[in-house]
Amino acid sequence: MTVREANWADCETLFMWRNDPSTRSASLETGEVSWESHGSWFRAALSSSTRHIFIVEATFAESISSVGMCRFDVENETAEVSINLNPSLRGKGLSLEVLSAALDYFRNGSRSETTIIARVRVDNPASLRLFERAGFERTHEDASVAMFELAKSKNPDGPS
């Protein structure tokens, strides 16, 4: 898998992934996003110094496909990570590899001392398992959201 920074050409793809019914049901914000709203958000995200969107790609049958995206929202020495897989590639065991590749890319970009956190809906067992398998520790949860943390300089186990 390879990781690259998102660019404007990814806007429509990420819009479709974001509005996929499975994505919406697992997201903290479940509403459908309009094209205008997404475009404004994406434009701002691409020019932000505190938001980093990475596209993870792989080659399948000699063709490069976008497998997933990870977004890191940085505040001081903490970054909150979000992940979304290409809806057509879900259920194939790729999420840990996507998350691990994006974490490595982010950390190698001079962010090795950043604490990575994640917020996951407690009714999303696949994502709960993903972050645990990636080496995150559940720090606390309320009725709807579990908080995870990956300590500074800790590398996830990656695919097994």
Side-chain angles (χ1 to χ4, degrees), residues 60-136:
F60 299 105
E62 300 182 26
S63 173
I64 296 175
S65 294
S66 295
V67 178
M69 64 78 66
C70 286
R71 186 185 77 233
F72 294 85
D73 292 320
V74 179
E75 186 173 326
N76 300 318
E77 292 302 313
T78 301
E80 182 174 346
V81 63
S82 299
I83 182 172
N84 191 2
L85 291 185
N86 179 336
S88 68
L89 295 174
R90 290 185 186 140
K92 300 184 184 308
L94 299 171
S95 61
L96 182 58
E97 200 170 347
V98 167
L99 180 60
S100 296
L103 284 166
D104 286 346
Y105 190 89
F106 178 74
R107 288 247 167 110
N108 287 335
S110 76
R111 294 273 183 194
S112 63
E113 293 300 314
T114 302
T115 298
I116 311 292
I117 63 169
R119 293 184 299 148
V120 179
R121 288 173 50 133
V122 296
D123 62 354
N124 183 350
S127 287
L128 294 171
R129 282 191 308 274
L130 167 63
F131 283 98
E132 289 169 349
R133 287 177 38 226
F136 284 72

Side-chain angles (χ1 to χ4, degrees), residues 53 55 106 118:
I53 302 174
I55 306 297
F106 178 74

